[in-house]
């Protein structure tokens, strides 16, 4: 195997040092830092998947507005914060129209937008982590994750897991809540 000698992101003395469950259970209970209770938490990746044209983007844009303005969303009190939208699938014109419809003046200074295409590279991910930390972004919305990844075969579990692991590591570095939109298959299946 071609693996690096030193694992990335490990802050323990040894790369492999399992904890006894008794040590783990003595640690204080860590509260989940919810942005949308039960659905969207800081430092995690949440996938919103459904068939094309089923309303994922519409739902996400209303969520963006609610987070930016600190408004309730679908009856839930949410945490107010700054949002970064990666509008990677829709045309810039359509994204702008959606934001205007939601009342874009209310979103000034609270929502940043990056338009596609955006390469899924180590350099871009590092730049994103720096930007998200510097701007104190609380939520990142990726519309859609499959467009960003640009995988040749989305049905390859190994490829999806490899790329997904890279994205998950990025999410954890930012400590923002990430909502990634994805299409389910267009045709039926077992």
């Amino acid at each position: 195997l071609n693996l690096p000698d030193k694992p990335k992101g490990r802050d323990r003395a040894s790369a492999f040092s399992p904890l006894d469950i008794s040590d783990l259970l003595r640690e204080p209970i860590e509260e989940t830092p919810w942005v949308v209770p039960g659905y969207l938490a800081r430092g995690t990746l949440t996938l919103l998947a459904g068939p094309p044209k089923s309303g994922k983007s519409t739902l996400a844009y209303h969520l963006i507005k609610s987070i930016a303005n600190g408004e309730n969303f679908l009856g839930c009190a949410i945490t107010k914060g700054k949002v970064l939208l990666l509008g990677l699938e829709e045309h810039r014109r359509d994204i702008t129209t959606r934001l205007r419809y939601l009342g874009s003046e209310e979103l000034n200074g609270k929502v940043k937008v990056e338009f596609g295409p955006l390469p899924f590279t180590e350099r871009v991910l590092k730049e994103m982590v720096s930007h998200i930390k510097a701007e104190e972004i609380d939520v990142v919305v990726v519309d859609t994750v499959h467009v960003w990844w640009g995988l040749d075969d989305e049905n390859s579990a190994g490829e999806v897991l490899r790329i997904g692991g890279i994205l998950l590591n990025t999410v954890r570095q930012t400590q923002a809540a990430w909502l990634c939109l994805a299409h389910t298959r267009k045709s039926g299946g077992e």
Side-chain angles (χ1 to χ4, degrees):
L1 294 172
N2 268 340
L3 297 174
D5 289 333
K6 183 179 177 189
K8 293 182 180 180
R10 296 296 291 244
D11 56 352
R12 295 188 253 168
S14 171
F16 183 75
S17 55
L19 286 174
D20 185 81
I21 191 168
S22 62
D23 295 328
L24 182 63
L25 296 177
R26 274 195 297 273
E27 292 178 2
I29 295 174
E30 185 180 344
E31 294 294 321
T32 303
W34 293 109
V35 176
V36 180
Y39 295 101
L40 196 57
R42 293 173 79 51
T44 66
L45 184 148
T46 301
L47 188 66
L48 174 59
K53 302 296 176 196
S54 62
K56 297 178 299 296
S57 294
T58 300
L59 181 71
Y61 278 72
H62 283 278
L63 177 61
I64 289 168
K65 178 184 177 190
S66 293
I67 292 168
N69 292 327
E71 303 166 347
N72 284 354
F73 182 73
L74 300 177
C76 293
I78 61 166
T79 303
K80 182 177 182 176
K82 291 183 180 177
V83 181
L84 171 62
L85 168 63
L86 305 181
L88 307 176
E89 185 172 38
E90 292 184 321
H91 192 281
R92 181 182 181 126
R93 168 192 65 240
D94 298 329
I95 293 169
T96 304
T97 299
R98 281 182 187 265
L99 293 170
R100 280 191 179 120
Y101 173 78
L102 291 175
S104 55
E105 296 79 29
E106 296 176 33
L107 306 178
N108 288 342
K110 303 172 192 173
V111 177
K112 304 285 185 189
V113 183
E114 176 70 37
F115 299 97
L118 179 68
F120 191 86
T121 63
E122 185 176 339
R123 189 188 103 227
V124 169
L125 292 173
K126 284 181 179 180
E127 289 175 7
M128 287 180 67
V129 169
S130 294
H131 178 83
I132 290 166
K133 287 180 176 181
E135 293 292 321
E136 298 178 334
I137 300 291
D138 298 288
V139 177
V140 178
V141 176
V142 181
D143 188 9
T144 63
V145 70
H146 292 122
V147 168
W148 191 22
W149 286 351
L151 297 177
D152 291 329
D153 182 10
E154 291 178 4
N155 294 318
S156 168
E159 190 67 5
V160 170
L161 288 173
R162 184 183 70 77
I163 296 294
I166 293 168
L167 180 57
L168 189 55
N169 183 48
T170 301
V171 169
R172 289 178 178 155
Q173 289 177 52
T174 66
Q175 284 302 301
W178 286 57
L179 177 65
C180 295
L181 280 59
H183 298 302
T184 56
R185 63 173 65 196
K186 295 178 184 179
S187 61
E190 294 183 285

